[in-house]
Amino acid sequence: MSSAAYIAPAAEHPTITLTSVRAPPPVHRGDRRRVYDSPMTYPPQGYYPRPPEHPQATTVLILGCLGLAFCGLCAPFAWIKGRRVLAEIDASGGQIGGRSQASAGYVMGIVGSALLAIMLLAVVGGIALMIIGAQADSSTY
């Protein structure tokens, strides 16, 4: 037997033209967009637009950051306002977004309020120790 490959007659091979074969569009690595062949402009099934954020979610986040980092007096306001904003977002049934910002500000408000309370206790305790020390020095034997 010879080493030549078998070539079938031309009738067995269908003719393929460039117009009958459509190459898929290129998809790059990291490209998360889905490629659809249909020319419709509707979004894919399962896609829902993000709900609008609560108007005060960013305010709670900023108050929490300020209360934790710089002035502890902002922290209780972030705690109180954050609890109210979270309750409104939960009551909206998914119609209002911004829950992650509001909960981050809420948690920072709790932590900042705890640090403020510890700082106030330390200041009050220091003043009390100074008063006790001043009275002890002024006593006569």
Side-chain angles (χ1 to χ4, degrees):
M1 204 165 217
S2 70
S3 63
Y6 172 75
I7 299 176
E12 292 182 19
H13 293 288
T15 305
I16 299 175
T17 62
L18 293 177
T19 58
S20 65
V21 177
R22 202 165 123 189
V27 178
H28 303 288
R29 188 182 305 197
D31 190 8
R32 295 185 177 198
R33 293 177 292 164
R34 292 186 178 182
V35 179
Y36 294 96
D37 289 335
S38 66
M40 295 188 334
T41 58
Y42 297 111
Q45 286 183 338
Y47 172 78
Y48 298 101
R50 294 179 69 185
E53 290 188 2
H54 193 282
Q56 295 176 346
T58 306
T59 305
V60 172
L61 181 65
I62 291 172
L63 283 174
C65 289
L66 289 176
L68 192 60
F70 299 115
C71 59
L73 296 177
C74 294
F77 294 109
W79 186 0
I80 294 167
K81 189 179 259 318
R83 182 177 55 209
R84 186 178 55 79
V85 168
L86 284 174
E88 289 176 5
I89 291 172
D90 291 339
S92 73
Q95 298 297 316
I96 299 175
R99 190 174 204 300
S100 58
Q101 289 181 349
S103 62
Y106 175 71
V107 169
M108 285 191 277
I110 291 173
V111 172
S113 296
L115 291 175
L116 178 65
I118 290 171
M119 185 175 57
L120 287 176
L121 286 175
V123 168
V124 169
I127 291 173
L129 287 176
M130 286 192 295
I131 292 173
I132 292 172
Q135 288 179 350
D137 285 343
S138 65
S139 65
T140 57
Y141 288 95

